Amino acid sequence: MLCRTKSSVAAVLGCVVLGVGAAGCDGEELENWDPLASATRTAGPAPISGPGKITVGGRSVNVSCSGDPEEDGPVVILLLGAGDGLGKMAALQRTLSEHDRVCSYDRPGSGVSDRPQGPQDLSGVGDTLTGVIGRVAGDRPVVLAGHSLGGLIAARYAPGHRDRVKGLVLMDATLSTMVEDITKAIPASATGPAAELRAQNLAVFKGENPERLVISDGKVRSAGNIPVEVIQHGKRYLAAVPGYGPRLEKAWAAGQRGWLALSGAATLSTAAGSGHYIYLDRPDVAVQAVERVIAQAARRADGE
């Protein structure tokens, strides 16, 4: 997202409505904003622990892993929102890793990973995720826990990788039809902060972001009957957009319900008192959701 704006409302809301992190929205230049090569699963080095760099698709990717999994238990992969380096989820990772193996990583173009050499799409981002999973999880199954854009990536990835992904936690995930939703909620005739918000977010989805990620709308596909927890924000922060806030809140809520189509075992809850960053505002809600999905995934694996 192009976060430089003269409107305080757009500056605050524009960096979260589509799942783009707040980094750089305090007036930093775009190039200083940490935002929003195919890899295959092959035998290789043992799964890593601690912080470090790995090579995926010819690029250096910054990763961090901690904790040990239960016997045959899944590895948790944390996927951050656009604009956030892996340090943003460090506290959540520490808590979860007391009982499970948990890893996070900077996508190419974010944090301290290599910058992409050209435009990316969600398929390419998925290839990077596959490569990361192969290095940090070995042959173990994984649970993906994504916030914002990271939630969208997790939800788009899981249906095509049912052999590995055994559970999902989506925390205020960017909607699967975000471009359509924002253009309907805020018409082209809008002016003021709402117009700025519309233009900024549409530009980001066209690839005007440091990840160079072009994001297209798509249908929600089934990931099987895996456990899925969808968590939406409790504070109606989108309602602050002058003139169009109620429409945005309605579209966001509908999009969160839409993620339930991922699985017959999906549930939707609201994190009371939380804004967009659920895992910071209500870490207890985030931790409990991930732990429930891990437990359910483990039980299902035992029953196979």
Side-chain angles (χ1 to χ4, degrees):
M1 161 169 303
L2 304 177
C3 292
R4 292 179 63 83
T5 173
K6 295 179 181 179
S7 167
S8 59
V9 173
V12 173
L13 296 174
C15 296
V16 291
V17 64
L18 295 188
V20 177
C25 296
D26 55 359
E28 294 179 4
E29 295 293 340
L30 179 62
E31 59 266 29
N32 294 325
W33 170 58
D34 288 337
L36 265 153
S38 176
T40 57
R41 183 180 169 203
T42 59
I48 68 170
S49 292
K53 297 286 188 69
I54 63 174
T55 300
V56 178
R59 302 189 190 98
S60 176
V61 176
N62 187 44
V63 301
S64 174
C65 292
S66 53
D68 297 311
E70 297 292 336
E71 184 176 358
D72 297 325
V75 174
V76 179
I77 309 294
L78 303 178
L79 291 98
L80 294 113
D84 297 329
L86 57 79
K88 192 86 172 185
M89 280 188 170
L92 176 63
Q93 182 168 331
R94 281 195 299 271
T95 300
L96 291 171
S97 63
E98 292 176 4
H99 303 290
D100 297 283
R101 177 170 169 80
V102 187
C103 299
S104 57
Y105 72 104
D106 292 328
R107 292 187 297 274
S110 67
V112 296
S113 291
D114 283 351
R115 287 346 189 200
Q117 296 180 349
Q120 300 191 93
D121 58 18
L122 287 174
S123 177
V125 170
D127 288 340
T128 300
L129 177 54
T130 296
V132 170
I133 289 173
R135 284 297 310 276
V136 304
D139 292 328
R140 289 181 179 275
V142 298
V143 165
L144 303 180
H147 167 251
S148 200
L149 177 60
L152 172 64
I153 291 170
R156 290 280 187 89
Y157 182 84
H161 298 83
R162 298 189 190 188
D163 60 325
R164 299 302 304 273
V165 181
K166 302 302 180 182
L168 290 172
V169 177
L170 307 183
M171 294 173 277
D172 227 29
T174 301
L175 310 184
S176 65
T177 54
M178 198 66 243
V179 173
E180 177 183 354
D181 292 335
I182 198 167
T183 52
K184 285 184 176 180
I186 305 177
S189 59
T191 59
E196 294 177 34
L197 181 63
R198 184 184 194 275
Q200 288 172 344
N201 282 282
L202 293 179
V204 165
F205 272 61
K206 291 179 180 178
E208 294 182 26
N209 57 76
E211 289 187 44
R212 303 188 67 179
L213 178 57
V214 179
I215 309 169
S216 301
D217 285 353
K219 294 181 179 180
V220 179
R221 297 186 298 133
S222 174
N225 202 38
I226 62 173
V228 175
E229 292 216 15
V230 181
I231 313 170
Q232 63 184 353
H233 62 258
K235 291 182 180 178
R236 293 173 54 84
Y237 65 85
L238 299 178
V241 177
Y244 301 96
R247 293 187 189 180
L248 289 170
E249 286 286 358
K250 184 177 180 180
W252 192 266
Q256 298 305 308
R257 292 193 299 273
W259 287 126
L260 296 177
L262 280 163
S263 170
T267 62
L268 172 65
S269 63
T270 301
S274 172
H276 186 55
Y277 280 82
I278 292 170
Y279 64 92
L280 296 179
D281 296 340
R282 291 296 308 275
D284 56 321
V285 171
V287 169
Q288 291 166 14
V290 175
E291 290 181 338
R292 283 194 297 269
V293 169
I294 292 171
Q296 293 172 43
R299 286 196 297 270
R300 289 169 183 263
D302 291 340
E304 290 180 355

